[in-house]
């Protein structure tokens, strides 16, 4: 199994182990995890606001608590233009890392989570800004439903994204595929899907870059080594493996909600 930045984590601690209603949708589970994560937010905090279908529930919940007066003096640092637009529409005060280089707490979802709390993120295309904000955070709470738990990164069969510059992007795509040929890697440039369902043009990130998606048939091995290999390639901006960054994992499943913390991290 791949490993990286691998301090042992505590065994799962049940927050609410009573079975949940059987008719809950995946989105309901995401909302449960998000609302639990927002309990970590305290007045006066600088909070990293994640991106995606799970994180949007946390952003909405923070807005509700501000409006109700249960939170105050919150400053949000959005991780994408989409989250920026949502937070503005909800009246959450915003800033950036230039003004607030230390973030008290970030809350975000993940596409995959391995047993050591390493993550794959960025299938929505916001991996660079997410990693900048969450890497600058004292505490990073990851919120997922149980479908995102994997034995090793890439184990879902879905993409491990890499943000690349547009210049000679197919050259970079080929180099990435070569790096992990032993893991059965297929590297594909991400494209936008048109209204008629056809592929149109490369998908562009908030930073004006492209994304190469790595599809792996087997475990890529040592994750720190894999990270270094990717980042050494000219043309690569950042990858979607978040290694040793998450401090707390909140998982919502049919059997309840559980929380896992890394040793030495206070909730």
């Amino acid at each position: 199994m791949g490993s990286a930045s691998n301090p042992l984590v505590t065994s799962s601690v049940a927050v609410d182990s009573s079975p949940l209603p059987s008719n809950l949708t995946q989105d309901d589970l995401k909302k449960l995890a998000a609302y639990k994560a927002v309990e970590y937010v305290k007045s006066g905090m600088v909070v990293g606001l994640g991106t995606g279908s799970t994180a949007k529930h946390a952003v909405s919940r923070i807005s509700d608590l501000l409006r109700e007066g249960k939170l105050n003096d919150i400053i949000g640092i959005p991780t994408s233009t989409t989250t920026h637009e949502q937070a503005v529409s909800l009246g959450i005060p915003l800033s950036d890392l230039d003004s607030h280089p230390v973030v008290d707490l970030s809350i975000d979802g993940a596409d995959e989570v391995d047993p050591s709390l390493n993550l794959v993120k960025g299938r929505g295309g916001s991996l660079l800004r997410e990693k900048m904000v969450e890497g600058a955070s004292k505490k990073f709470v990851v919120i997922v439903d149980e479908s995102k738990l994997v034995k090793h990164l890439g184990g879902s069969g879905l993409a491990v994204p890499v943000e690349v510059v547009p210049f000679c992007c197919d050259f970079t795509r080929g180099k990435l595929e070569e790096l992990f040929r032993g893991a059965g890697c297929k590297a594909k440039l991400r494209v936008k899907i048109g209204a008629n369902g056809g592929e149109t043009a490369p998908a562009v990130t908030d930073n004006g870059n492209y994304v190469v998606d790595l599809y792996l048939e087997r475990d890529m091995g040592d994750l720190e080594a894999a990270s270094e290999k990717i980042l050494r390639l000219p043309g690569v901006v950042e990858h979607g493996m978040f290694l040793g960054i998450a401090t707390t994992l909140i998982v919502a499943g049919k059997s309840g909600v559980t929380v896992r913390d890394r040793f030495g991290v206070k909730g």
Side-chain angles (χ1 to χ4, degrees):
M1 180 180 297
S3 62
S5 300
N6 192 21
L8 295 176
V9 292
T10 63
S11 57
S12 297
V13 178
V15 176
D16 182 359
S17 58
S18 56
L20 297 172
S22 60
N23 62 346
L24 288 181
T25 65
Q26 187 178 38
D27 193 60
D28 292 331
L29 295 175
K30 292 176 179 181
K31 185 179 290 187
L32 283 171
Y35 278 34
K36 181 62 186 176
V38 174
E39 294 178 14
Y40 288 86
V41 179
K42 307 301 179 188
S43 293
M45 278 187 168
V46 177
V47 181
L49 305 176
T51 296
S53 59
T54 307
K56 71 179 182 181
H57 292 305
V59 176
S60 295
R61 181 60 174 163
I62 290 169
S63 171
D64 291 343
L65 295 176
L66 284 168
R67 188 172 59 253
E68 294 166 7
K70 296 177 181 177
L71 286 177
N72 55 72
D73 299 324
I74 295 295
I75 296 174
I77 311 291
T79 55
S80 66
T81 56
T82 298
T83 301
H84 184 280
E85 291 166 359
Q86 181 193 9
V88 168
S89 73
L90 295 173
I92 299 175
L94 299 179
S95 189
D96 56 34
L97 290 177
D98 289 337
S99 300
H100 297 277
V102 178
V103 179
D104 294 304
L105 168 71
S106 284
I107 299 172
D108 205 354
D111 300 308
E112 292 183 353
V113 185
D114 79 5
S116 297
L117 302 195
N118 297 311
L119 319 172
V120 169
K121 291 178 50 57
R123 289 181 187 151
S126 301
L127 61 99
L128 176 59
R129 296 190 187 190
E130 289 173 335
K131 191 172 285 189
M132 289 177 68
V133 173
E134 290 149 14
S137 301
K138 296 177 183 177
K139 187 175 183 68
F140 174 26
V141 179
V142 179
I143 47 178
V144 297
D145 66 87
E146 60 190 355
S147 71
K148 303 302 174 69
L149 304 179
V150 296
K151 293 181 178 179
H152 61 84
L153 296 192
S156 68
L158 301 176
V160 177
V162 181
E163 188 162 342
V164 304
V165 298
F167 177 73
C168 294
C169 61
D170 192 57
F171 170 82
T172 306
R173 182 207 60 77
K175 290 294 185 181
L176 286 165
E177 188 168 278
E178 285 179 20
L179 280 182
F180 301 106
R181 195 172 301 280
C185 178
K186 297 295 182 184
K188 299 180 180 180
L189 181 67
R190 186 179 298 182
V191 294
K192 294 184 293 186
I193 304 301
N196 62 355
E199 298 178 355
T200 56
V204 180
T205 71
D206 287 345
N207 314 299
N209 296 315
Y210 294 169
V211 175
V212 172
D213 288 321
L214 308 183
Y215 296 90
L216 303 163
E217 294 180 357
R218 295 177 289 280
D219 189 343
M220 70 179 74
D222 185 291
L223 297 179
E224 290 288 0
S227 171
E228 291 176 9
K229 288 180 185 178
I230 294 171
L231 295 176
R232 280 201 300 264
L233 283 178
V236 167
V237 178
E238 188 53 87
H239 60 71
M241 294 186 294
F242 285 50
L243 308 180
I245 297 176
T247 56
T248 298
L249 172 67
I250 298 177
V251 182
K254 296 298 184 181
S255 60
V257 179
T258 59
V259 177
R260 294 176 64 187
D261 289 307
R262 289 184 183 275
F263 282 130
V265 177
K266 301 296 184 181

